[in-house]
């Protein structure tokens, strides 16, 4: 059975107090079903306290937004996977387009980060997605497949099973432009097919593939109703409970 996931990515937002308040509201009011998971991708300062706050609700988790690929050492300002796992973090967002663009994270670096996270028992939420230019030129599917192949396809099947994919077209992030449900479904279908070709049908069918890019309360149901869209990775709309709670509820939308 494939898990449906509403993951929030707070990015570099929320003071300590604001973040804790938001998490408290979500933990209190969200009611994910047994095949559903809520993940709060918060800044490092919030991780430990939100883990403590969410103890009672087994299907509400936190994710870090990054980790370093080396185990430890002289990397001022960075955080290691063993540090994250020492406070009970179970998920990490890796390969977000903002990290690829502003911090020059290549597929090779991401491959190392993915392996590091898995070795500490932390599940990557691995982001992929094309720019507007690539989509306009028509090779977006090839581009996204290549991102997956380069960073993930040398994993063992056992390790790959622990990966969550998030397809986030760059042109839809923070722009208010959303991929149409058909555009999202087309890419998610292609991603699942590529996983199937490499890892087999069972693993492909059990991999959660999230859509990200201007997911809002008014479009979440239609996006999540697509057969291969297993939820969302949500930026702006995850910053208030008023907008994130309806997106969590939309996970239960029947498939078309
Ligand atoms: P928005 O929902 O603000 O477009 O951000 C999407 C995103 O980047 C989530 O990781």
């Amino acid at each position: 059975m494939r898990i449906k996931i509403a993951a929030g990515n707070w990015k570099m937002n929320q003071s300590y107090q604001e973040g804790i308040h938001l998490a408290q509201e979500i933990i209190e009011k969200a009611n994910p079903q047994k095949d559903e998971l809520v993940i709060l991708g918060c800044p490092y300062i919030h991780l430990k306290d939100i883990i403590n706050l969410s103890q009672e609700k087994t299907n509400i988790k936190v994710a870090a937004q990054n980790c370093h690929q080396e185990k430890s050492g002289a990397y001022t300002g960075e955080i290691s996977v063993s540090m994250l796992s020492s406070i009970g973090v179970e998920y990490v967002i890796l390969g977000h387009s903002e990290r690829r663009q502003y911090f020059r994270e290549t597929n090779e670096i991401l491959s190392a980060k993915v392996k590091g996270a898995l070795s500490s028992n932390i599940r990557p939420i691995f982001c992929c997605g094309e720019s507007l230019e690539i989509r306009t030129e028509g090779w977006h599917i090839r581009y996204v497949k290549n991102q997956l192949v380069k960073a993930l396809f040398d994993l063992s099947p056992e390790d790959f099973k622990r990966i969550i994919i998030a397809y986030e077209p760059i042109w839809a992030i923070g722009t208010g432009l959303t991929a149409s449900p058909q555009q999202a479904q087309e890419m998610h279908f292609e991603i699942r097919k590529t996983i199937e070709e490499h890892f087999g049908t069972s693993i492909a069918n059990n991999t959660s593939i999230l859509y990200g890019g201007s997911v809002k309360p008014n479009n979440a149901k239609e996006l999540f109703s697509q057969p291969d869209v297993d939820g969302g990775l949500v930026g702006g709309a995850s910053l208030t409970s008023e907008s994130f709670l309806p997106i969590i509820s939309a996970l239960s939308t029947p498939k078309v």
Side-chain angles (χ1 to χ4, degrees):
M1 183 177 58
R2 178 148 105 216
I3 303 293
K4 293 181 273 181
I5 301 171
N9 178 6
W10 296 0
K11 309 190 180 182
M12 196 173 72
N13 293 295
Q14 309 294 38
S15 68
Y16 173 76
Q17 290 78 6
E18 288 163 346
I20 296 300
H21 180 70
L22 172 60
Q24 278 167 333
E25 285 188 327
I26 307 280
I27 292 164
E28 188 191 319
K29 297 186 184 150
N31 189 20
Q33 307 300 300
K34 71 172 183 337
D35 63 339
E36 297 172 359
L37 189 62
V38 173
I39 303 178
L40 304 176
C42 52
Y44 301 126
I45 56 165
H46 299 108
L47 289 168
K48 178 80 176 92
D49 286 345
I50 301 179
I51 289 171
N52 290 343
L53 286 169
S54 62
Q55 288 304 331
E56 308 276 284
K57 291 227 179 162
T58 49
N59 39 5
I60 300 187
K61 303 284 188 186
V62 300
Q65 296 174 16
N66 182 31
C67 64
H68 199 268
Q69 62 272 29
E70 297 296 335
K71 286 193 170 72
S72 64
Y75 300 99
T76 303
E78 291 293 322
I79 196 155
S80 74
V81 285
S82 60
M83 291 172 188
L84 295 172
S85 96
S86 71
I87 58 162
V89 172
E90 295 175 68
Y91 297 86
V92 62
I93 299 170
L94 289 177
H96 194 282
S97 59
E98 288 149 18
R99 296 227 43 106
R100 292 179 190 257
Q101 184 182 348
Y102 305 138
F103 301 95
R104 309 256 147 81
E105 293 192 1
T106 60
N107 291 324
E108 290 69 31
I109 291 173
L110 291 169
S111 167
K113 289 192 180 206
V114 164
K115 292 191 179 88
L118 289 168
S119 73
S120 279
N121 233 358
I122 297 179
R123 296 184 61 179
I125 300 170
F126 182 84
C127 305
C128 55
E130 81 287 355
S131 64
L132 185 57
E133 193 185 1
I134 291 172
R135 180 162 281 263
T136 312
E137 289 169 6
W139 53 292
H140 44 289
I141 291 173
R142 189 151 48 93
Y143 181 83
V144 168
K145 282 184 177 179
N146 185 55
Q147 288 181 317
L148 300 178
V149 170
K150 289 271 163 60
L152 302 177
F153 277 21
D154 64 340
L155 294 174
S156 68
E158 277 314 303
D159 276 345
F160 186 84
K161 276 184 190 169
R162 317 208 65 237
I163 304 284
I164 295 161
I165 308 277
Y167 167 59
E168 300 205 306
I170 297 169
W171 46 272
I173 294 177
T175 57
L177 275 180
T178 317
S180 69
Q182 293 69 29
Q183 285 173 320
Q185 169 56 26
E186 179 193 37
M187 183 64 85
H188 285 223
F189 174 83
E190 292 292 340
I191 291 172
R192 203 179 300 288
K193 198 170 82 186
T194 307
I195 298 170
E196 181 173 18
E197 282 159 10
H198 194 81
F199 290 107
T201 310
S202 159
I203 290 182
N205 284 342
N206 284 303
T207 301
S208 300
I209 307 176
L210 316 183
Y211 167 79
S214 300
V215 176
K216 306 287 176 201
N218 64 4
N219 59 26
K221 280 190 181 166
E222 215 187 340
L223 286 160
F224 298 173
S225 71
Q226 298 302 307
D228 288 295
V229 178
D230 307 310
L233 180 56
V234 186
S238 73
L239 294 173
T240 68
S241 58
E242 290 73 24
S243 47
F244 196 46
L245 287 166
I247 294 174
I248 296 171
S249 304
L251 288 177
S252 309
T253 311
K255 295 293 179 192
V256 289

